[in-house]
Amino acid sequence: MTHWFHRNPLKATAPVSFNFYGVAGSPSANKICNDLRTTRARLLEMFTDTTCNPEIMKNATDAYFSLLQGFIASLDGTTQENKLRFMQNFKWTDTLQGNTPSAQQDAIFELISMAYNVAIWHTKFASRLAGKENVTEVDAKDVHRSLKFAAGIFKHLKEVHIPRLITPAEKGRDLEPRVIDTYIVQCQAEAQEEPGLEPGISNGTASTALDHCTTREAKCVSHDAYALHLSLFQAYCYHGQTLLSSDKCGESIRSLQEAEKCYSRAETLCKEYRQTKGPGSTAKPSEQLFFTKLGGLIKNTLQKCERENGFIYFHKVPAEAPQLELKASYGLAEPISFEFPVLSEQCTPEVYATFDLTKGAKDEKAKPKREEEVIKPMKEPDLKPQKDTGCVIS
């Protein structure tokens, strides 16, 4: 699951105790802090638990996020910021930046970062489910839904919560809008399966994502850019099939010839992929099932077209490759709308009033900073697909 096919790793985080001794001035306030600690630990465990499913994940996320909202939502009847929002420091790694974390003393940063991981988990769950030996219609719908749900989370974070951060994201970091945009279109592209829709969608979403990738730091996005390039030769392959079904055999041959060229370039990129630093470098893209299968599909379809053109169509093969539709206006998998759960019933104005920031709070910013602090990555199960999942984008 970790590297099938190219799947960015989960974000890792430093432990958080929520020990607000002196500040939490009542048993109910202390219980909220204790429950925050346990529900956070539980949710982090679910990310790497192979038995976890979307229902279990939803229960775990709702339990934590409903409590965390008590540090974000206004509970005193005013429009002022929640007094607890900036109490706790949170540290999270970025999916494309290794194990050196970003840190912010802001509960909204924690909300966004944890939700980001939930979205990544849904893409991994979809990939794992699609790799089963016998995929049912229900499984296929779950794969499609998980990818659209992940896109919905990324979209919601970008539009609603990331703009609320006091400290803007640095270039190449997960919370940068261009990185979020790339994840959104990756999820949309993966959700497309229909060959008739694939050329425009694969080319359009891959081109959009590549546009976002190429504006970011090259050393951070080499894996993403590689995976997105693969979608382009798939687009030419499916376009060739579509042209043949429309009795445009000459254009079909030219499209498939272009697919062969793109496939050869992709094989070269496979070597570069394994030599780049960063997550996923242990993967062997050219040996993955979908890659070898698509290579055979291109070759066999091209041979079929050439045979049929020789004794049925007698069409001239164009010198230039046919233009792919840059953007598909149909068949796109729209992100599923996402909202965070409502505030926990534990977080009442009365309990909120018992948090006293003037008593006993230790300012974490006063602690000396370590040089280049590193957080251990999450230990993800390296599950192998039982069959070709068709996953080519993320």
Side-chain angles (χ1 to χ4, degrees), residues 114-237:
M114 189 68 82
Y116 211 102
N117 250 14
V118 175
I120 293 175
W121 179 87
H122 275 279
T123 68
K124 291 175 179 283
F125 176 78
S127 181
R128 187 177 76 214
L129 197 60
K132 289 171 56 178
E133 184 64 34
N134 296 306
V135 179
T136 66
E137 183 177 348
V138 173
D139 291 333
K141 289 180 179 179
D142 286 343
V143 169
H144 200 245
R145 187 182 189 283
S146 286
L147 291 168
K148 293 194 297 180
F149 190 69
I153 295 175
F154 288 128
K155 186 173 184 288
H156 182 70
L157 295 178
K158 178 194 171 187
E159 293 177 353
V160 179
H161 297 283
I162 290 178
R164 297 180 64 188
L165 290 172
I166 303 299
T167 305
E170 300 175 10
K171 285 186 177 181
R173 297 288 180 178
D174 283 342
L175 306 190
E176 185 192 1
R178 290 174 297 178
V179 178
I180 294 275
D181 284 336
T182 302
Y183 273 116
I184 292 171
V185 293
Q186 282 180 329
C187 291
Q188 286 181 291
E190 281 194 54
Q192 315 310 320
E193 296 291 339
E194 194 67 36
L197 303 179
E198 193 73 36
I201 294 170
S202 288
N203 189 52
T205 49
S207 297
T208 302
L210 280 168
D211 180 60
H212 293 306
C213 280
T214 52
T215 58
R216 289 149 55 193
E217 295 292 332
K219 65 180 180 180
C220 300
V221 300
S222 55
H223 289 71
D224 279 329
Y226 162 75
L228 292 166
H229 273 297
L230 295 184
S231 189
L232 299 180
F233 78 72
Q234 184 190 33
Y236 273 112
C237 177

Side-chain angles (χ1 to χ4, degrees), residues 45-115:
E45 288 176 1
M46 290 299 98
F47 289 138
T48 56
D49 187 341
T50 57
T51 65
C52 185
N53 58 40
E55 183 180 358
I56 295 173
M57 178 58 65
K58 185 180 188 305
N59 291 336
T61 55
D62 284 356
Y64 180 57
F65 287 144
S66 63
L67 288 168
L68 189 62
Q69 296 275 27
F71 281 42
I72 298 171
S74 177
L75 298 176
D76 58 3
T78 71
T79 58
Q80 294 181 346
E81 288 286 0
N82 188 310
K83 65 184 179 182
L84 304 176
R85 174 179 169 181
F86 304 106
M87 278 286 296
Q88 178 71 55
N89 193 37
F90 300 95
K91 299 174 184 178
W92 285 89
T93 60
D94 294 274
T95 56
L96 298 172
Q97 296 281 359
N99 300 327
T100 302
S102 298
Q104 291 195 35
Q105 195 151 324
D106 188 342
I108 290 182
F109 176 70
E110 166 74 357
L111 185 80
I112 294 168
S113 300
M114 189 68 82

Side-chain angles (χ1 to χ4, degrees), residues 236-241 244 251-261 297-299 301-303 305 322:
Y236 273 112
C237 177
Y238 285 128
H239 191 45
Q241 290 181 311
L244 180 60
E251 293 180 44
S252 174
I253 290 173
R254 186 62 188 88
S255 183
L256 289 160
Q257 288 173 341
E258 192 67 21
E260 274 197 324
K261 290 181 181 179
L297 178 63
I298 293 170
K299 181 180 178 180
T301 307
L302 177 57
Q303 289 177 346
C305 289

